[in-house]
Amino acid sequence: MMEILEYIGMALILIGGIFLFLGALGLVRMPDLYTRLQAGTKASTLGAMSTVLGVGLLHPDWILKILIIVIFIGVANPLSSHALARASYRKGVIPFSKNNIDKYKKAVKKQIKNLTS
Amino acid sequence: MTNKKSIPLLKRKSSPGKFIYTFLIMFIIWLGFTTSFEPAELITGVFVSLIIALFTDRIFSCCGMRVLMPHKIIYFIQYFFVFIMALIKANFDVARRVISPDLPINPGIVKFKTKLTNSFARLVLANSITLTPGTLTIDAIGNTFYVHWIDVTSEEPEVAYKEIAESFEKILMKIYED
Amino acid sequence: MTIILTIVFTLMAIGLILSMFRFVKGPRSGDRAMALDTFSIIITAAMVLLAHVFERYIYVDVALIYAVLGFVGVIVIARYIEGAL
């Protein structure tokens, strides 16, 4: 039984390492901030969650604290990427777009107008 | 669809259900931090959780023990599995886009309206959208979500809603809105 | 088992170097903040893995605190970029 848990844990650690690497690679390869955020957030969240959970399966007596770390990463990482995307858009970072699809511009303009008037 | 005005955090009302809910969550987190079941630790944990719950229950909890009913727990588990499947799919999607040499992306920002009125449910929906394939929530103004989509298939709000949010929102509606 | 750990640590090291590259190059401050976020996530995972390698439970606490501080730091930087601070 312990051996099966160990194999699953090792597999999770390996998968996590691969996804952490892919997240960092996406950070370098993508063309603009928003696409970079997409690649970075998703891949690094699952990568970190899976690595940490893998260690939790190798050491069953650590599992409670490990679960807290996993849940914290799952909640906090999308939040910080959302805050960064919003702040950058308001600071004037224009998203890269082939077909110029941008429904957010109008809403931001309206909000700024309401603030200043 | 009327846009319900949200109540300021400090003016929300406290209630026994909210108090018990906050206390339980805080005590579980305490158990996770200390990971020991000695009586001294447990008693300290109970006191600390009680004090925190006394002051923050109106901010921390949106709807009290209503969320922990048995039939809602089943929906939570269902939501968990839907979410994990979407997360794994999202990661293989990202991996495919990052590895392929010509970067198959067509990004843009779309918007759609959500039916959820509860602010905590909206937070859960926004976080889930960020972690699912090719989408990133940029902002939520009122009940309108602005979503950066890495591969836009349609600009229409209804189509975007169907593709991005519907599977999550259906379950969240059952948990938080009845 | 050791070979898997070696592979994972190598991948993490390459990931750290790549995100450091984005941190140095990033044209806007948003890119740098995001590189910092990815950096701290990778460090968190590496710290938990080191706890397994050295069999030290206390390192898990370090990882937890590191994750919390990284999150708070990125949020503060984001608010600063937005001009709300």
Side-chain angles (χ1 to χ4, degrees), chain A residues 27-28 36 59 65 86, chain C residues 22 31 52 61 81-82:
Chain A
L27 214 62
V28 174
R36 271 177 222 146
H59 296 262
K65 198 167 281 177
R86 190 183 125 104
Chain C
R22 179 51 73 191
D31 296 274
H52 163 65
D61 295 276
I81 294 171
E82 200 176 340

Side-chain angles (χ1 to χ4, degrees), chain C:
Chain C
M1 291 297 165
T2 336
I3 183 93
I4 293 179
L5 285 178
T6 317
I7 293 170
V8 170
F9 274 120
T10 316
L11 284 173
M12 279 176 178
I14 300 171
L16 286 177
I17 292 169
L18 288 178
S19 62
M20 215 59 219
F21 171 76
R22 179 51 73 191
F23 186 81
V24 173
K25 192 182 171 222
R28 306 293 293 250
S29 44
D31 296 274
R32 294 175 210 273
M34 176 184 38
L36 188 70
D37 191 25
T38 311
F39 197 87
S40 72
I41 287 287
I42 297 177
I43 291 278
T44 308
M47 210 96 87
V48 177
L49 208 51
L50 281 179
H52 163 65
V53 173
F54 294 134
E55 300 279 336
R56 293 269 170 87
Y57 179 49
I58 199 80
Y59 286 9
V60 180
D61 295 276
V62 181
L64 179 58
I65 300 301
Y66 197 89
V68 173
L69 286 183
F71 167 64
V72 173
V74 172
I75 289 286
V76 169
I77 294 171
R79 296 299 285 170
Y80 175 68
I81 294 171
E82 200 176 340
L85 209 69

Side-chain angles (χ1 to χ4, degrees), chain A residues 19 22 25 29 31 34 38 42-43 46 65 68 75 78 81-82 86 90 96-99 101-104 107, chain B residues 32-33 87 91 95 98-101 103 105-109 127 130 132 134-139 146 148 155:
Chain A
F19 276 119
L22 283 175
L25 187 67
R29 282 206 66 197
Y34 303 97
Q38 292 234 11
K42 286 193 243 299
L46 183 77
K65 198 167 281 177
I68 286 185
V75 173
S81 79
H82 149 74
R86 190 183 125 104
R90 275 152 200 259
F96 163 82
S97 180
K98 283 176 193 156
N99 303 326
I101 303 161
D102 191 349
K103 305 268 186 192
Y104 187 43
Chain B
F33 277 148
L87 182 58
N91 275 278
V98 169
I99 291 175
S100 56
L103 281 182
I105 55 173
N106 173 29
I109 298 176
N127 264 5
T130 301
T132 49
T135 48
L136 168 73
T137 315
I138 291 187
D139 205 350
Y146 297 89
H148 183 268
E155 293 183 52

